[in-house]
Amino acid sequence: MTPGVLLAFRGEFAASEPRTGRLIRARLLARLVVRRARFLTYETSRYEFARVEDLDFAVSLDGETVYEVYGVKPMEEDKGLVFTDGSGYTTIEQIVPGLKQAVQNENQ
């Protein structure tokens, strides 16, 4: 990893809708900015998560795409990412801790 170079994070999440059992699938591609760790010890990482530069996000229901955005610039809010697609705001909740962990794992 190098500061100033974007790190791609790809994730796929699948679940079934509780009432109908329909398959819901979400795909995320986030381009992450990393920085040198502020505190460097033997046990810590050399680099740490700084922010999400931009992301692509798509959701499908039973294999049919029902929502997609590309190149949106999210804001970090309460461990989640919030972005607008022009028609309203979308939140991906509780994703930031996972992104931070992914950067930390890349250090090892």
Side-chain angles (χ1 to χ4, degrees):
M1 286 191 296
T2 306
V5 175
L6 299 179
L7 175 67
F9 173 86
R10 298 177 199 279
E12 184 170 319
F13 315 92
S16 59
E17 207 280 324
R19 293 170 288 167
T20 64
R22 297 172 74 183
L23 180 63
I24 302 168
R25 185 174 305 262
R27 291 193 173 118
L28 171 71
L29 171 61
R31 286 160 288 279
L32 309 179
V33 176
V34 298
R35 64 180 170 228
R36 290 199 185 280
R38 287 175 267 181
F39 303 103
L40 184 61
T41 66
Y42 180 74
E43 297 84 23
T44 62
S45 304
R46 294 179 305 168
Y47 302 102
E48 62 187 11
F49 171 85
R51 71 180 192 287
V52 176
E53 178 70 18
D54 65 3
L55 60 86
D56 303 335
F57 185 62
V59 177
S60 65
L61 181 60
D62 286 337
E64 182 179 332
T65 301
V66 294
Y67 180 81
E68 59 187 344
V69 293
Y70 297 97
V72 294
K73 301 214 178 275
M75 299 173 290
E76 189 175 329
E77 184 175 290
D78 195 30
K79 298 183 184 177
L81 297 175
V82 178
F83 56 90
T84 184
D85 61 4
S87 64
Y89 287 92
T90 300
T91 302
I92 304 173
E93 295 182 356
Q94 298 295 318
I95 189 76
V96 173
L99 298 175
K100 289 179 179 180
Q101 185 64 49
V103 172
Q104 187 176 4
N105 291 347
E106 280 296 310
N107 279 279
Q108 299 171 356

